[in-house]
């Protein structure tokens, strides 16, 4: 890659998108692939939201607009923060973005110099690690504990904070684990941050799944803890809760208007603004009485699927699955499955240079896709650093119960097919 800048080699990706090439290859063979890989609701955006955008386009609201976001949407976001969190946020602290993702890169660019340390959950959304390494900052993974529902203790976090820490990423509900931080946990985390981190360290609270909480539980947020609003960047958006992934609409709330101005400037330097008709539809999504029943219907469907899939996976030899409390993923431990299929042995037998580019759960992921037509995500897709020896898959439950049942039944068939795995290794030649 000699004609590219050096930093390009440090840029990661989101494999949920990049596995598309493998899926296309398998589908081209005539296989009806069950896609449990991608993280988006299988519901369409609601009619009242769609109609709002169409009306705006017809009205001619299709020009450049305020790069910080339209005042109407920023006011609706401010009202939402007041209703949901009791926070009083002035509109000059809010920046509208093209989805939940840009806030991650903007934060790293705005606060982390090369060599600075950034703490992030692992397993976690892969774009955190990608941006940290790309910017030359030092990635400091905060490992989530399977045995406690993929959470961490305040002491786990305290051990990672140093004078070089600049940003701490939190994500609740979590992608990929579905773990949700409780009020008590957040209180402990906030205490540690106040005690150990200087006040200019920023906490990036990724709340993109704030609407997707199961069992009627409440979503708790770090920004409401004493002394935390002035350190926290709240990030959320419309993709998951309002089933608007393709609209590309999200927002960040900064501690000060001066910081929001930097994020606005980053927007000017990249996309100029979020399309105004999309922002208007986003405003309607946040303010219309028609939205809450749509969200409730969708979350009830996710919960019904969770209630089916978790016991089904736990009944499968070699699989152990925690019960997610939110988002729309399950993240089973498949160490036993890798063992019984001979994947660990096959991995150990690979040349070192091949081993460095894969992992047992990635080999399981490819076996399931190429030999059984079911697309999943492997552990390393959610942060590679320090993930050696961890064997998990992420399955998205944002697909109909029938398709989910078909996908899990294929995994069940694959789980005892040791000979099939040997055939896969010989025939597909992905690792030679
Ligand atoms: N943050 C987390 C934790 C996510 O899982 C995702 C998407 O999967 C995003 C941010 C990005 O969301 P968006 O599609 O709105 O950019």
């Amino acid at each position: 890659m000699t004609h590219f800048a050096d930093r390009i080699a440090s840029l990661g990706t989101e494999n949920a998108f990049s596995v598309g090439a493998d899926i296309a290859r398998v589908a081209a063979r005539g296989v009806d692939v069950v896609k449990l890989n991608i993280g988006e609701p299988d519901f369409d955006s609601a009619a009242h939201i769609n109609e709002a955008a169409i009306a705006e386009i017809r009205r001619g609201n299709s020009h450049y607009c305020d790069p910080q976001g339209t005042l109407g949407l920023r006011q609706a976001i401010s009202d939402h923060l007041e209703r949901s969190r009791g926070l009083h946020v002035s509109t000059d602290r809010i920046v509208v973005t093209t989805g939940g993702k840009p806030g991650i890169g903007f934060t790293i660019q705005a606060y982390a110099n090369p060599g600075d340390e950034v703490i992030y959950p692992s397993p976690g959304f892969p774009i955190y690690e990608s941006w940290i390494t790309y910017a030359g900052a030092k990635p400091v993974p905060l490992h989530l504990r399977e045995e406690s529902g993929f959470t961490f203790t305040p002491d786990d976090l305290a051990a990672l904070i140093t004078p070089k820490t600049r940003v701490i990423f939190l994500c609740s509900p979590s992608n990929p684990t579905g773990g949700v931080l409780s009020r008590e946990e957040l209180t402990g985390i906030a205490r540690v941050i106040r005690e150990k981190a200087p006040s200019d360290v920023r906490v990036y609270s990724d709340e993109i799944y704030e609407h997707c909480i199961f069992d009627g539980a409440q979503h708790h947020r770090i920004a409401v803890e004493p002394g935390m609003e002035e350190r926290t960047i709240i990030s959320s958006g419309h993709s998951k809760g309002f089933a608007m992934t393709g609209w590309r609409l999200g927002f960040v709330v900064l501690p000060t208007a001066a910081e929001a101005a930097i994020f606005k400037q980053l927007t000017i330097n990249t996309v100029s603004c979020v399309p105004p008709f999309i922002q208007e539809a986003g405003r309607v999504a946040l303010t219309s009485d028609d939205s809450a029943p749509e969200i409730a219907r969708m979350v009830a469907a996710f919960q019904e699927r969770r209630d089916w899939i978790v016991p089904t996976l736990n009944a499968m030899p070699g699989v152990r699955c925690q019960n997610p409390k939110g988002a729309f993923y399950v993240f089973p431990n498949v160490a036993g499955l890798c063992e019984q299929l001979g994947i660990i042995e096959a991995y150990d037998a690979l040349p070192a240079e091949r081993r460095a580019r894969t992992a047992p759960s990635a080999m399981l992921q490819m076996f399931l896709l190429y030999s059984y037509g079911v697309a999943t995500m492997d552990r390393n897709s959610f942060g590679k650093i320090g993930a050696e020896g961890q064997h998990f898959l992420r399955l998205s439950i944002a697909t109909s119960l029938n398709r989910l049942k078909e996908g899990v039944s294929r995994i069940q068939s694959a789980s005892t097919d040791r000979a099939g795995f040997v055939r896969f290794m010989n025939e597909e030649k992905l690792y030679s």
Side-chain angles (χ1 to χ4, degrees), residues 219-357:
H219 182 229
H220 298 289
R221 295 95 176 182
I222 192 133
V224 304
E225 295 295 325
M228 291 311 292
E229 187 181 346
E230 51 266 45
R231 301 168 187 242
T232 302
I233 300 163
I234 303 167
S235 164
S236 188
H238 289 61
S239 294
K240 317 291 180 174
F242 296 97
M244 290 172 70
T245 50
W247 295 68
R248 312 308 307 132
L249 186 60
F251 60 87
V252 274
V253 180
L254 283 304
T256 61
E259 288 163 271
I262 299 295
F263 279 54
K264 172 178 176 174
Q265 198 180 341
L266 285 160
T267 300
I268 293 170
N269 273 272
T270 48
V271 295
S272 297
C273 63
V274 177
F277 49 91
I278 289 191
Q279 295 195 55
E280 183 52 22
R283 187 192 65 75
V284 168
L286 282 172
T287 53
S288 165
D289 290 341
D290 294 334
S291 297
E294 295 282 343
I295 296 172
R297 187 168 65 91
M298 186 174 72
V299 174
F302 296 153
Q303 186 172 320
E304 186 195 356
R305 297 166 194 174
R306 176 203 66 170
D307 291 344
W308 174 79
I309 198 170
V310 171
T312 307
L313 289 172
N314 276 320
M316 218 184 277
V319 179
R320 184 172 70 216
C321 187
Q322 296 281 322
N323 203 33
K325 296 191 182 129
F328 38 72
Y329 309 107
V330 288
F331 197 62
N333 183 321
V334 291
L337 202 54
C338 291
E339 194 69 56
Q340 78 204 28
L341 284 168
I343 296 177
I344 307 273
E345 262 167 65
Y347 171 78
D348 287 343
L350 291 177
E353 161 274 313
R354 290 275 152 200
R355 259 200 325 267
R357 281 194 270 141

Side-chain angles (χ1 to χ4, degrees), residues 334-398:
V334 291
L337 202 54
C338 291
E339 194 69 56
Q340 78 204 28
L341 284 168
I343 296 177
I344 307 273
E345 262 167 65
Y347 171 78
D348 287 343
L350 291 177
E353 161 274 313
R354 290 275 152 200
R355 259 200 325 267
R357 281 194 270 141
T358 188
S361 69
M363 293 165 78
L364 174 62
Q365 174 200 19
M366 287 299 144
F367 171 54
L368 293 175
L369 175 57
Y370 278 84
S371 302
Y372 282 87
V374 50
T376 59
M377 299 307 303
D378 72 311
R379 165 65 183 86
N380 280 3
S381 296
F382 302 99
K384 286 196 190 73
I385 298 167
E388 301 80 14
Q390 297 181 18
H391 312 297
F392 292 88
L393 288 181
R394 188 195 76 176
L395 314 184
S396 167
I397 56 172

